[in-house]
Amino acid sequence: MAAWKVIGLISCFPGWLLAQVQVDTSFTEDVLVKEYLLQSQLKVNDISYRGTYQALGLFSSESLNLPISRGIILSTGKATNAIGPNQSQGRSTFFHRDGDEKLSKLSGGHNTHDAAVLEFTFFPTHNTIAFDYLFASEEYPEYVNKGFNDVFAFVLTDLHTKKSQNLAVVPGTQLPVHIDHINATTNPEWFIANDRRQKTYYSALEYDGLTKMLSAQATVVPGRPYRIKLAISDVYDGKLDSGVILRKKSFRSFHTPPQISPVTVYFPLNSSQLSATAQNGLRQFAQQIITSPPEAIQVVGHTDALGTDGFNQQLSEQRVQSVVDFLASLGLKGKVKLYRQSQGEHQPVVSNDNEVGRAQNRRVEVVLVNQKQ
């Protein structure tokens, strides 16, 4: 066939046929978790799945600029219903399967149906775990704030303490992700309308709306066993599919330096002696920076305005020395650079007109200069 005829034939096909989303539901949960979700260094066991396998699959769309081009999809209906173009405002599949007790509680006690629940136990290698995902739904936009919200959750349980938390929350809040909490008017910076007018992903995805890529994250104890439950279900009835897509190989464990706050210790009048309270504060500070040392710390001494300028300058230097000596005795000597500064009476934080104010000015501030990343 002539080249111009081939080009002409291709141009007759709609664009979505050339860049179509694919969903493969033939994979087992073991393969999906080990080969498509977890980064290789994580140890995992006890992988399980509850629900119809038509709701679990491998999502891929390498040729589209979607927020996630490949990953695992969990759906309240057929996972293949995610495939666009968006030609329906109400694509649904009702399997008449059980819901999930935890998801029912998150939905406000409503009945849930057709739960797809993927779980596994893992052992983090560092103090933080995270993975990336997006949520999409046919409930957008008609049922926003109408009380019909498909529900999903990422429930992380520390198997040592038995404490659990939901990681699927709106960034910067504790609100669970669903259509009422991310939409065109509420947290719109995380929302993508999927229609022809917006010219977004209607040629690729069936869902009427979706979130931008979000990240689920938690602080963990390295080496301790944790159980993660990735679950989604219909609420009230089986109408209108929703899906959550987990980005390929994004489930990871990494080190996050702890956020160490500056410490301020206070002194009696005309004294450079550390009180028991001051020692306890410095001891807690030292325990944090020993495990994650900063580049340096700055120790700044101050006094109230009583006495001569020369006396107060000398007293602030003595207070700085007391703090430096105590920190050195706690194991910081040689591990962290120390910058000393004595301000005397010249930088009060409150007025020196009364004893309450003067007591707050008799202080030493210990500040991190530049924490290592």
Side-chain angles (χ1 to χ4, degrees), residues 274-286:
L274 288 170
S275 67
T277 300
Q279 290 182 10
N280 286 335
L282 291 171
R283 192 174 288 110
Q284 293 175 15
F285 176 81

Side-chain angles (χ1 to χ4, degrees), residues 123-369:
F123 300 81
T125 54
H126 298 85
N127 68 354
T128 307
I129 63 104
F131 56 95
D132 306 323
Y133 70 98
L134 65 80
F135 170 72
S137 181
E138 286 285 76
E139 293 180 335
Y140 286 117
E142 297 89 350
Y143 292 96
V144 170
N145 295 321
K146 297 293 178 62
F148 292 89
N149 299 322
D150 288 345
V151 61
F152 80 101
F154 304 142
V155 181
L156 179 70
T157 301
D158 183 331
L159 296 182
H160 180 73
T161 65
K162 308 302 181 185
K163 293 182 178 180
S164 297
Q165 58 179 312
N166 177 26
L167 306 185
V169 295
V170 179
T173 78
Q174 290 301 310
L175 297 172
V177 175
H178 58 59
I179 66 169
D180 287 354
H181 292 155
I182 295 182
N183 53 60
T185 57
T186 302
N187 297 304
E189 67 273 20
W190 299 107
F191 178 66
I192 301 171
N194 190 34
D195 56 42
R196 288 183 180 275
R197 182 173 58 84
Q198 297 291 338
K199 296 187 181 302
T200 47
Y201 307 114
Y202 69 88
S203 64
L205 288 177
E206 173 58 47
Y207 300 114
D208 289 346
L210 62 151
T211 68
K212 294 181 180 179
M213 188 164 67
L214 305 172
S215 182
Q217 184 168 313
T219 300
V220 294
V221 178
R224 182 178 291 180
Y226 288 82
R227 186 80 174 166
I228 186 78
K229 177 178 182 177
L230 314 168
I232 189 169
S233 71
D234 281 315
V235 176
Y236 289 117
D237 54 33
K239 296 179 180 178
L240 302 177
D241 288 353
S242 297
V244 61
I245 305 170
L246 313 171
R247 188 167 69 89
K248 180 184 177 182
K249 292 291 186 181
S250 68
F251 199 109
R252 57 203 182 274
S253 179
F254 56 94
H255 178 70
T256 300
Q259 296 299 312
I260 304 172
S261 300
V263 62
T264 300
V265 296
Y266 299 93
F267 293 83
L269 178 65
N270 295 336
S271 173
S272 60
Q273 186 73 31
L274 288 170
S275 67
T277 300
Q279 290 182 10
N280 286 335
L282 291 171
R283 192 174 288 110
Q284 293 175 15
F285 176 81
Q287 288 173 349
Q288 294 181 78
I289 64 176
I290 283 176
T291 58
S292 184
E295 293 287 345
I297 58 177
Q298 187 173 49
V299 183
V300 186
H302 304 270
T303 70
D304 59 28
L306 297 179
T308 66
D309 185 72
F311 174 81
N312 287 334
Q313 180 65 29
Q314 184 180 25
L315 181 58
S316 67
E317 292 174 1
Q318 292 170 351
R319 287 173 175 169
V320 167
Q321 189 62 48
S322 293
V323 170
V324 170
D325 289 345
F326 188 74
L327 290 175
S329 73
L330 296 175
L332 295 188
K333 185 176 181 180
K335 293 186 177 181
V336 181
K337 293 180 181 178
L338 285 172
Y339 298 111
R340 309 178 193 210
Q341 191 174 12
S342 300
Q343 295 292 337
E345 63 185 68
H346 301 295
Q347 290 187 353
V349 290
V350 291
S351 171
N352 279 298
D353 291 342
N354 55 65
E355 176 55 26
V356 173
R358 289 192 291 270
Q360 295 183 60
N361 292 328
R362 298 192 292 263
R363 70 198 193 277
V364 167
E365 299 168 338
V366 186
V367 183
L368 275 69
V369 174

Side-chain angles (χ1 to χ4, degrees), residues 50 97-107 110-117 119 151 153 155 229 231-234:
R50 178 168 59 84
R97 297 252 184 154
D98 292 338
D100 180 82
E101 182 178 355
K102 181 66 175 181
L103 294 179
S104 294
K105 289 180 180 179
L106 287 174
S107 70
H110 303 301
N111 291 330
T112 54
H113 308 276
D114 287 350
V117 183
E119 296 186 70
V151 61
V155 181
K229 177 178 182 177
I232 189 169
S233 71
D234 281 315

